[in-house]
Every structure is written in C-alpha cells, then in structure tokens.
Amino acid sequence: MSITKKTLQDIGEFGLIAKIRNWMATSRPEVVRSIGDDVAVIDMGQKALLLTTDILIEDIHFERSWTDPYRLGRKSLAVNISDIAAMGGTPKYFLISIGLPKRLPLSFTSLFYRGLKDEARRFQVDLIGGDTSLSPKIIINICLIGEGKKGNILFRNGAKVGDDLYASGTLGDAALGLKILQDKGLRKKPKGLVNKHLSPTPRVELGQALAKKHIASAMIDISDGLLNDTNHILEESKVGAQLWEDRIPLSTLYRRWAQTYSKAPYQIALSGGEDYELLFTASPQKRAKVSSLARSLNIPLTRVGEILPEKEGVHLIRKGGKEVKLPRLGFDHFR
Ligand code: ADP
Ligand code: MG
C-alpha cells in the first residue's frame, strides 16, 4: 500500500498517536512527560503540574436520546479527573470548550452545567475558563489541571518483571451498560450497569493512596479496556504480562447480563472501555499493603496478572489453563 493511500483506519488511533509523537518533539527541560501517559507532567520544583484533556462528541461518545445533560456534565469532568487519579495526583482547575447546535434547548446547557458544577464541587475543582462555538453536533472538550508531589507521581512506565498486576473495582460493567442503553428492544434496563456507563466515579482517593504510600510501580486508568490499557503499561514499561481470565473481577449484574451480548463470558470485561477503574502494578512484597488499602477504602483490588519479560508478549490464561497469545482487543476510535 502506498503511503498516500493509507487511512487512519489502517494505522488505528494508537498508531496515529505514535506518529504524532514522532512528528513533534518537546524542547523545554521542565517537561517530564508529554505524549504517552495519562497526563502531561511538568516539573515545578517540589511539585509537578499535571495536565490532561479529553473530548466527547455527540453520536460517538454519547447519544442525545439516552443521555441526560446533567449526567453528561458530570461525566465530562469525571473522565478527565480519572486521568489525574491515574497519576496519584489532585485535580484542581479546568477549562471547558463547547460546540453546540443552534437549536439546542437552553435547558440542555443549564442542566449540563449543573452536572459539571456538582462534579466539580465533589472533587473541589474550579472552572476557570473555556470557549464556545456553533457546531452541527455537541462537542465537549475539557482541559483539567492538577498537581502532585514530584516524587510520588505514578507513570505508565514503572512496571518491573515479577510485579503483580491489579485492577480496582469490577470490569466490563460500563461497556455492558452501553450495550444495554443501545439495545432498542430492551425495555427494562438494569440500572446498575447503565449507571456505570453514564456516571463513572474516578478513583482519586485510591490513586492518591497508592502514590503516597509508594505501593504501586506503574498505573493507568482503564478507559480503553483492560487489554488495551494493560498494553499501554507494557509498551511504556517495555515488559510483557500474563493475565488470568477467571480472576477478572466481575459484578453480579455483569455475570447475569454479559451472556445476552457476548458468547465469551469475559470478552466485554477484557475489551470494553470506560470503566475508569485503576490498573496498577506493584511488587509482590506490597501484597499485604494492597489488601489493607482495599479494606480501608472499601474498594476491591484484584490481582489479575503478573508482569513478564518483554519478549513474552501478552498471554491470557483462560479458565481451565489454556493459554492464548493476545492480539489487542480493546477499543480503537478508527477501527
Ligand atoms: P487516555 O485514554 O488516558 O485519555 P489517550 O489514549 O487518549 O489517553 O492518549 C494517550 C496519549 O496520547 C496521551 O499522552 C495524550 O495526551 C496523547 N494524545 C492523544 N491524542 C493526541 C493528539 N491528537 N495530539 C497529541 N497528543 C495526543
Ligand atoms: Mg487515561
């Protein structure tokens, strides 16, 4: 295929980001991390400035038919807060740019901002500016700024061979909730799963504790799915991993509903995005600390895998012991 005919679909979202990373270079010495982690990290002396941005587009990330503007406001901020949580940082200020259609009811915008305000209050972050434009579809872009103590920040690239791999909470609920929302034939939709999709809770307290107590060695939030986000840690850390499928933490509702939408019981939990749980690695010596943190915060922290040398790639150990070498199965915007 000649280079001029290549499309974004051919290289995928992550292929494109890798290219952008090559095209652009940073020059300022205080830039500790640019492209390649959950947030950009800027050295400010004792402290580090953390910056992240995310975009939500109507009919790609949400549909007006099943989204109420209040929850959309909350979620728009929550997904950005989750990226700061993934560094072990504290969210502080944000800017928001919105593109809105002419005929959008004013009430949509006021309810959206009410949601934004409630989420901002919950995590003590302040809106400090933004931009507004006409757009054929609703577009929401937030840039969130936070901070952390320089020595405590957790990157994607700290995983070591022999480390345990943990996931917080349960996985797959949000992706299953989305399938349920999109299922026009289903009248009574299980609230628990739908809520996981519409109203994610960023794990700020957990992220901060893992960083402050120096428990984790690498961390990411699970926005693209367990497999994709594991891959992001592996690529940045230059390691491999094995995952035990039957250890993936599943909710009761997930167990009840997954079979309606997928033959393979773990498929949605492995590849479905938007759980906004934390995925982290930690040395086996930290197991007692991980369990005691799980108890004190009342958040399940489940050991789902182990870090291997890079040449091993990624293995999934299926229930019953069968081992499969994995392709990437998570969400990619262009594929
Ligand atoms: P997350 O899922 O945590 O939001 P992404 O997968 O969106 O992270 O992005 C991965 C990395 O690539 C981040 O460092 C992000 O800032 C960077 N990135 C994504 N899109 C672009 C872009 N269009 N230009 C420059 N950097 C980008
Ligand atoms: Mg992230």
Side-chain angles (χ1 to χ4, degrees), residues 37-38 82-83 86 156 220-223 229:
D37 221 300
D38 290 291
S82 177
D83 277 321
R156 292 179 181 180
I220 188 170
D221 67 325
I222 306 181
S223 55
D229 288 312

Side-chain angles (χ1 to χ4, degrees), residues 56 68-77 96 98 106-118 138 140 142:
L56 292 176
D68 76 84
Y70 174 81
R71 301 225 268 185
L72 183 63
R74 293 198 76 144
K75 182 170 175 177
S76 306
L77 188 53
I96 181 163
I98 47 179
L106 175 61
S107 63
F108 187 99
T109 320
S110 61
L111 283 168
F112 175 84
Y113 269 82
R114 197 179 295 169
L116 205 58
K117 183 176 175 176
D118 285 351
I138 300 171
I140 301 153
I142 287 180

Side-chain angles (χ1 to χ4, degrees), residues 162-169 242-249 279-284 286-288 290-291 300-307:
D163 279 357
D164 297 321
L165 180 70
Y166 293 88
S168 67
Q242 60 179 2
L243 291 168
W244 303 292
E245 194 177 60
D246 61 349
R247 290 209 197 164
I248 296 172
L279 180 70
F280 63 95
T281 57
S283 149
K286 308 275 184 183
R287 280 180 196 169
V290 173
S291 326
L301 299 176
T302 311
R303 191 147 57 89
V304 293
E306 189 187 329
I307 301 301

Side-chain angles (χ1 to χ4, degrees), residues 46-241:
Q46 296 273 31
K47 286 183 174 170
L49 199 60
L50 309 174
L51 301 110
T52 182
T53 186
D54 253 302
I55 194 162
L56 292 176
I57 299 181
E58 181 181 357
D59 294 336
I60 303 284
H61 298 92
F62 63 91
E63 284 173 34
R64 247 191 276 172
S65 64
W66 48 253
T67 306
D68 76 84
Y70 174 81
R71 301 225 268 185
L72 183 63
R74 293 198 76 144
K75 182 170 175 177
S76 306
L77 188 53
V79 300
N80 283 281
I81 291 176
S82 177
D83 277 321
I84 301 249
M87 310 305 284
T90 306
K92 295 232 148 159
Y93 323 100
F94 71 105
L95 300 144
I96 181 163
S97 299
I98 47 179
L100 302 172
K102 239 182 239 175
R103 296 189 182 282
L104 191 72
L106 175 61
S107 63
F108 187 99
T109 320
S110 61
L111 283 168
F112 175 84
Y113 269 82
R114 197 179 295 169
L116 205 58
K117 183 176 175 176
D118 285 351
E119 194 71 3
R121 193 178 288 157
R122 179 182 185 191
F123 291 98
Q124 291 165 305
V125 302
D126 287 337
L127 175 62
I128 55 168
D131 197 14
T132 306
S133 168
L134 177 66
S135 165
K137 289 195 172 169
I138 300 171
I139 299 177
I140 301 153
N141 170 240
I142 287 180
C143 172
L144 176 66
I145 301 159
E147 67 173 28
K149 215 176 128 192
K150 210 165 69 190
N152 292 351
I153 308 256
L154 283 166
F155 299 100
R156 292 179 181 180
N157 72 351
K160 302 277 178 305
V161 174
D163 279 357
D164 297 321
L165 180 70
Y166 293 88
S168 67
T170 57
L171 301 182
D173 298 324
L176 192 51
L178 177 60
K179 286 189 191 294
I180 286 165
L181 278 168
Q182 289 169 330
D183 184 346
K184 297 219 162 67
L186 185 69
R187 299 242 311 282
K188 260 198 101 198
K189 303 186 190 259
K191 269 220 173 86
L193 295 171
V194 164
N195 282 345
K196 281 285 187 83
H197 177 78
L198 294 176
S199 306
T201 300
R203 298 289 198 185
V204 175
E205 204 184 358
L206 172 62
Q208 287 171 344
L210 288 165
K212 195 169 147 220
K213 294 174 194 278
H214 300 280
I215 294 172
S217 51
M219 189 151 71
I220 188 170
D221 67 325
I222 306 181
S223 55
D224 299 328
L226 176 63
L227 289 182
N228 257 333
D229 288 312
T230 299
N231 254 305
H232 292 324
I233 288 188
L234 304 186
E235 272 169 20
E236 294 301 322
S237 301
K238 305 205 170 351
V239 291

